[in-house]
Amino acid sequence: MKIAILPGDGIGTEIVAQALRVLGVLDLHFETEQALVGGAAYEAHGHPLPESTLRLAQAADAVLFGAVGDWKYDTLERALRPEQAILGLRKSLGLFANFRPAICYEQLTHASSLKPELVAGLDILIIRELTGDIYFGQPRGRRESPDGAFAGAEEAFDTMRYSRPEIERIAHVAFQAARKRSKRLTSVDKANVLETFQFWKDIVTEVHAQYPDVALDHMYVDNAAMQLVRAPKKFDVIVTGNMFGDILSDEAAMLTGSIGMLPSASLNAAGKGLYEPSHGSAPDIAGKDLANPLATILSAAMMLRYSLSQPAAADRIESAVQQVLASGLRTPDIWSEGTRQVGTREMGDAVVAALSGNITKKTIKG
Ligand code: NAD
């Protein structure tokens, strides 16, 4: 097994280093190879996704990704900006299914903006279609409005579209994921207004016939946004399109307290995936040993589970993270009264110690 390691920019290098230390103490055999991506790759090779990085990602069984971007690149032409590397990887690896679990650890319920009783024990999975929808639909652009009340005025437009195979494949992924959990799936759409999402709803309903053991319900996106903050624990698995998923998964992220805790996986039809924290490169705290590495460490656990067939090792990492939180260690983003603040590296040390069975008061609480 080969893992491509793409740390990227900002805190990307710091958090990926901790995830690699964690992977290193598991008794597993895999090869890793690092490459530059994002702003770091632009500086070295003049492109955020150089050919050599793309080839490495294509040849590997999985990709562990940190984060890319820095405000200093905002004036570059769009094709050369660091974030284009993510779009390029998604496209070339065919990563159409984005898994974002939102888990509220018992020890962090106070860090959520919602009342503790609403989020305690929260464990939901949002599955977002990642390669279609209005983000990629053609035509798009700016023009002179051809008709209507504002004919002749300057206008901009995008195209929302989904094909049957695109909806079918994400629906299968979602039903299969729901089957492995509590067998409940909510498909989020806007079928009352949008033709594209009436089509989505019809096809998800058709695919449901192949998964009679999974209970399916449909919800409009505006209601889903409301229910996520009213009674989030009523959900188990949510499947939705690219744009609705983009918005709802960030909303769900905040239920858990900090974006520094949230892993993600983007998978293709062969089960190959790119694993990354849900946050960005956080230039404001980069290089200061302040970043929370847990989202990246938990992304590595997802990689072991979904792409490298090592579910037991994934469970070990997740339970080590729980032990570390239970021991009272916190990076600044999740710190609260009565807990001990640590930096990126010390948080990594603690997870490594927990995995090695050395989680004692001495090693963890200092
Ligand atoms: P961000 O996620 O980088 O940061 C938002 C806030 O969350 C900041 O205050 C940051 O300090 C904090 N934060 C993020 N991750 C954290 C962690 N692990 N521990 C503690 N605090 C953390 O989003 P932004 O500031 O809007 O964007 C910064 C750069 O990242 C931009 O260039 C943006 O384009 C890029 N970005 C990249 C990705 C990616 O690589 N997948 C995703 C989002 C944004």
Side-chain angles (χ1 to χ4, degrees):
M1 289 288 186
K2 181 162 182 172
I3 308 172
I5 309 289
L6 310 183
D9 307 320
I11 61 169
T13 49
E14 299 166 68
I15 53 182
V16 167
Q18 299 313 313
L20 285 177
R21 291 178 62 216
V22 166
L23 287 171
V25 295
L26 299 167
D27 196 18
L28 298 173
H29 300 286
F30 46 73
E31 197 189 322
T32 59
E33 188 176 335
Q34 289 213 21
L36 296 175
V37 72
Y42 172 75
E43 302 285 354
H45 304 289
H47 197 279
L49 184 58
E51 200 44 49
S52 53
T53 301
L54 185 58
R55 269 202 310 273
L56 171 66
Q58 284 166 338
D61 298 291
V63 180
L64 185 62
F65 189 94
V68 291
D70 191 295
W71 301 306
K72 71 181 175 193
Y73 301 115
D74 283 356
T75 50
L76 282 178
E77 64 172 278
R78 192 165 294 281
L80 295 178
R81 288 195 205 161
E83 296 78 3
Q84 292 301 311
I86 307 174
L87 299 181
L89 283 164
R90 282 179 190 162
K91 196 167 170 214
S92 76
L93 300 178
L95 305 172
F96 69 90
N98 182 232
F99 281 48
R100 276 230 220 165
I103 296 173
C104 187
Y105 292 94
E106 198 189 317
Q107 299 85 2
L108 300 182
T109 46
H110 62 275
S112 169
S113 45
L114 293 194
K115 293 182 199 130
E117 63 269 28
L118 286 183
V119 292
L122 178 79
D123 179 357
I124 62 182
L125 174 63
I126 298 190
I127 299 179
R128 164 187 170 195
E129 199 290 329
L130 207 54
T131 51
D133 204 353
I134 195 165
Y135 289 1
F136 294 97
Q138 294 289 346
R140 59 194 288 161
R142 291 184 186 207
R143 64 183 175 191
E144 193 175 287
S145 182
D147 48 28
F150 298 100
E154 193 185 2
E155 71 173 15
F157 63 103
D158 298 276
T159 303
M160 178 175 272
R161 63 197 297 172
Y162 265 123
S163 65
R164 173 176 277 277
E166 282 175 296
I167 303 172
E168 283 176 350
R169 67 182 181 177
I170 193 76
H172 281 291
V173 164
F175 280 112
Q176 284 160 19
R179 220 173 220 177
K180 291 188 193 141
R181 293 171 52 106
S182 74
K183 299 189 169 53
R184 287 185 295 120
L185 176 66
T186 303
S187 171
V188 171
D189 61 55
K190 190 71 186 168
N192 50 342
V193 178
L194 299 169
E195 203 55 52
T196 314
F197 275 90
Q198 180 61 55
F199 188 53
W200 171 283
K201 185 174 180 177
D202 294 346
I203 292 174
V204 172
T205 305
E206 270 176 48
V207 174
H208 183 210
Q210 297 175 49
Y211 300 88
D213 53 324
V214 177
L216 170 70
D217 68 321
H218 302 273
M219 195 177 278
Y220 296 141
V221 64
D222 41 348
N223 188 22
M226 196 165 70
Q227 297 305 326
L228 267 175
V229 287
R230 196 184 74 86
K233 285 191 269 183
K234 290 210 169 140
F235 292 104
D236 189 53
V237 181
I238 294 175
V239 63
T240 189
N242 203 347
M243 180 164 66
F244 299 157
D246 189 4
I247 299 164
L248 293 182
S249 59
D250 268 22
E251 186 187 2
M254 283 325 294
L255 304 178
T256 70
S258 170
I259 198 149
M261 292 298 302
L262 290 172
S264 82
S266 303
L267 303 174
N268 71 12
K272 176 162 163 172
L274 182 144
Y275 298 83
E276 58 174 332
S278 298
H279 56 74
S281 55
D284 53 333
I285 57 167
K288 298 180 179 164
D289 196 41
L290 291 174
N292 186 344
L294 294 179
T296 314
I297 290 170
L298 292 167
S299 300
M302 289 184 86
M303 174 177 77
L304 292 170
R305 178 172 293 117
Y306 291 113
S307 289
L308 303 180
S309 305
Q310 299 286 347
D315 288 348
R316 281 185 63 202
I317 294 180
E318 286 161 0
S319 93
V321 167
Q322 296 233 29
Q323 282 180 59
V324 169
L325 293 174
S327 77
L329 295 197
R330 302 283 187 274
T331 42
D333 56 308
I334 51 173
W335 180 85
S336 65
E337 207 67 51
T339 62
R340 184 159 85 75
Q341 190 168 311
V342 294
T344 311
R345 178 155 184 109
E346 202 179 337
M347 188 54 109
D349 289 343
V351 179
V352 166
L355 277 169
S356 318
N358 292 331
I359 188 155
T360 64
K361 272 200 154 114
K362 193 158 179 293
T363 51
I364 298 300
K365 293 211 166 156

